[in-house]
């Protein structure tokens, strides 16, 4: 499941965000009538189609895995949190229809209606992501039912969907999707500019993607703060594992880096900022923050994995925030920086950082919830399938996802190369 989600989250985030990049370029084409924006729009629309297809395949595999790997979980949880999944299916169908209209609507629809269909692709894709996260947030903050003598009674699907965690998780995930995809797309176009290929084309594309990425990177710490305070209130064990916070104390220090030792309940080689964890969790420098010592050991998450994943996520997020600040200085104050090679090289280096942070963040969410699949209600060990031979399905699904990754990489490489050649020949023809 972890392997499948690790692939699908990349496909789905690109599918959620790229339509907005595409629609932005399309808007500039309609307003300015500069052919380069039309070229960018059509190039990105093909990328949207590629990731829509791969996202659909990888998402379908995940739906099979829910039934195959977690039958006991689905037996009890399905009727409770099934609503966001059914609504996600509706959003997906609308997205598919709108994408068909967009791809085949050139010179057939009114220009602004055609642009609107592209916006619908983005909005429904984003809505699909929010609905799936709502289902996941229910696993972290179960509500909408009464658990009595092992029975799930008085089910309220709306209350389950709009649980206490859905807003903070959905907000953090959506912003992360714009950060990761924005930096990845900007990095690819920055590389093409450095190579001197189709500079006018890639400059426009880079500017659009970089603006989305840097604005989102500046908003991400705010959404992260909302998420952290929510986790501190609902899942103190997860917060303690994230921070390697072993001992309950007032005025708790924020731990940066370090190697936790669960045997001795200590953290080595860490930088500790006094009282900052208490403030970040509660807005009070002297507030008490629960440590792992206040939680039964059988309910402890894997501290090492959760702590390292959290540190990676925050560290990469801060690196992208710093690059965003530099980029805004270049746009507003230091115009000479905008076209400098060193700035473009920084964006190239940042290409994978967003997705690495994204994977680390989901590791924190899922591993930090352990040993619960439904927090405080059902343990993961009680939900997993008892059937033997499950390793063979793992080999099959692994082959599917690796094949998807290879195919997508090949298609994108061919698309970028083809766009470059077409744009070069078009430019040469105009010059002659």
């Amino acid at each position: 499941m972890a392997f499948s989600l690790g692939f699908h989250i990349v496909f789905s985030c690109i599918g959620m965000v790229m339509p907005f990049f595409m629609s932005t370029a399309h808007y500039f084409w309609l307003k300015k009538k500069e052919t380069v924006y039309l070229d960018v729009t059509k190039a990105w629309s093909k990328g949207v189609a590629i990731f829509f297809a791969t996202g659909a395949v990888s998402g379908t595999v995940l739906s099979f895995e829910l039934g195959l790997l977690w039958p006991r979980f689905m037996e009890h949880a399905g009727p409770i949190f099934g609503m966001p999944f059914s609504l996600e299916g509706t959003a997906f169908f609308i997205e598919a229809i709108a994408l068909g209209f967009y791809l085949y609507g050139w010179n057939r629809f009114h220009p602004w209606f055609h642009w609107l269909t592209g916006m619908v692709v983005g909005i429904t894709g984003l809505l699909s992501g929010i609905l799936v996260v709502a289902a996941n947030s229910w696993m972290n903050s179960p509500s909408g039912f009464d658990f009595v003598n092992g029975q799930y009674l008085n089910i309220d699907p709306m209350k389950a969907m709009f649980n206490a965690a859905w807003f903070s998780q959905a907000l953090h995930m959506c912003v992360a999707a714009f950060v990761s995809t924005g930096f990845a797309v900007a990095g690819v176009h920055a590389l093409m500019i450095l190579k001197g290929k189709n500079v006018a084309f890639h400059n426009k594309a880079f500017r659009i993607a970089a603006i989305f990425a840097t604005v989102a990177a500046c908003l991400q710490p705010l959404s992260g703060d909302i998420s952290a305070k929510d986790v501190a209130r609902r899942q103190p064990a997860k917060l303690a594992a994230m921070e390697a916070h072993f001992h309950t104390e007032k005025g708790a220090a924020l731990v940066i880096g370090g190697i936790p030792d669960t045997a001795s309940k200590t953290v080595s080689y860490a930088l500790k900022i006094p009282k900052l964890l208490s403030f970040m969790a509660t807005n009070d420098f002297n507030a008490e923050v629960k440590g792992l010592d206040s939680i039964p050991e059988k309910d402890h998450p894997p501290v090492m994995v959760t702590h390292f994943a959290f540190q990676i996520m925050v560290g990469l997020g801060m690196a992208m925030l710093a690059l965003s600040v530099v980029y805004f200085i270049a746009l507003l104050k230091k115009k000479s920086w905008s076209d400098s090679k060193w700035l473009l090289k920084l964006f190239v280096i940042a290409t994978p950082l967003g997705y690495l942070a994204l994977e680390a963040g989901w590791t924190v969410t899922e591993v930090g919830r352990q040993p619960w699949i439904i927090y405080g209600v059902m343990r993961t060990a009680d939900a997993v399938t008892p059937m033997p031979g499950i390793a063979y399905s793992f080999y099959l699904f692994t082959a599917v996802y690796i094949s998807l990754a290879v195919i997508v990489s090949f298609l994108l490489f061919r698309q970028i190369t083809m766009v470059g050649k077409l744009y070069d020949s078009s430019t040469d023809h105009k010059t002659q």
Side-chain angles (χ1 to χ4, degrees), residues 25-310:
H26 194 171
Y27 174 83
F28 286 136
W29 153 244
L30 292 174
K31 296 295 288 186
K32 298 184 177 183
K33 296 301 180 183
E34 294 181 25
T35 306
V36 63
Y37 285 115
L38 178 61
D39 295 333
V40 172
T41 303
K42 290 189 174 183
W44 278 348
S45 69
K46 293 175 182 177
V48 168
I50 291 170
F51 279 102
F52 178 84
T54 53
V57 173
S58 62
T60 302
V61 172
L62 276 171
S63 66
F64 285 128
E65 287 183 353
L66 280 173
L68 177 68
L69 302 177
W70 312 102
R72 293 176 180 173
F73 167 70
M74 292 303 296
E75 176 186 358
H76 298 290
I80 305 173
F81 79 152
M83 178 171 285
F85 279 124
S86 61
L87 293 176
E88 192 275 336
T90 302
F92 175 80
F93 291 140
I94 296 173
E95 181 183 5
I97 293 168
L99 181 60
F101 281 178
Y102 189 83
L103 293 176
Y104 297 101
W106 291 100
N107 302 319
R108 292 181 176 88
F109 296 139
H110 185 279
W112 284 106
F113 176 78
H114 184 217
W115 171 82
L116 182 61
T117 62
M119 285 296 297
V120 171
V121 175
I123 292 168
T124 51
L126 198 63
L127 183 59
S128 292
I130 291 172
L131 289 166
V132 170
V133 172
N136 179 269
S137 66
W138 176 84
M139 297 163 68
N140 286 289
S141 179
S143 60
F145 66 96
D146 294 324
F147 188 62
V148 182
N149 297 326
Q151 300 293 316
Y152 298 79
L153 307 173
N154 303 321
I155 294 172
D156 184 345
M158 291 298 293
K159 189 175 180 181
M161 183 166 67
F162 296 109
N163 56 79
W166 85 269
F167 175 76
S168 61
Q169 278 197 212
L171 176 64
H172 198 54
M173 180 66 213
C174 289
V175 178
F178 277 95
V179 173
S180 55
T181 304
F183 274 105
V185 174
V188 170
H189 290 292
L191 180 62
M192 294 296 105
I193 295 170
L194 288 171
K195 289 185 174 182
K197 296 181 178 180
N198 330 314
V199 173
F201 173 90
H202 290 293
N203 259 326
K204 299 297 186 184
F206 169 79
R207 180 63 62 89
I208 292 171
I211 291 293
F212 272 104
T214 51
V215 170
C218 292
L219 296 175
Q220 189 69 313
L222 301 177
S223 70
D225 181 65
I226 294 171
S227 293
K229 287 180 169 57
D230 179 65
V231 169
R233 183 175 63 257
R234 294 182 301 95
Q235 295 177 296
K238 179 184 284 187
L239 179 68
M242 289 160 54
E243 290 292 339
H245 184 60
F246 290 103
H247 305 288
T248 301
E249 59 180 330
K250 294 183 178 180
L254 180 71
V255 175
I256 300 177
I259 302 174
D261 185 343
T262 54
S264 62
K265 313 296 183 187
T266 59
V267 183
S268 303
Y269 313 111
L271 172 65
K272 295 185 178 182
I273 304 178
K275 299 189 176 185
L276 189 56
L277 178 59
S278 289
F279 178 76
M280 293 178 69
T282 65
N283 288 331
D284 182 352
F285 284 105
N286 297 308
E288 182 178 89
V289 178
K290 287 185 178 181
L292 289 168
D293 59 353
S294 65
I295 299 159
E297 192 166 340
K298 63 185 177 65
D299 294 337
H300 287 189
V303 177
M304 188 78 75
V305 174
T306 307
H307 177 69
F308 283 149
F310 181 67

Side-chain angles (χ1 to χ4, degrees), residues 350-420:
T351 300
L353 299 188
Y355 289 120
L356 292 174
L358 192 71
E359 299 284 5
W362 270 101
T363 300
V364 172
T365 300
E366 298 303 301
V367 177
R369 188 180 62 243
Q370 300 309 311
W372 305 99
I373 191 168
I374 306 175
Y375 189 71
V377 177
M378 178 184 285
R379 290 180 177 270
T380 306
D382 297 329
V384 72
T385 178
M387 296 299 292
I390 206 70
Y392 297 107
S393 64
F394 171 69
Y395 302 147
L396 174 63
F397 289 137
T398 299
V400 169
Y401 280 107
I402 291 177
S403 299
L404 281 175
V406 171
I407 292 169
V408 167
S409 300
F410 169 74
L411 290 175
L412 289 178
F413 177 78
R414 191 181 70 168
Q415 177 64 21
I416 292 170
T417 305
M418 187 180 299
V419 166

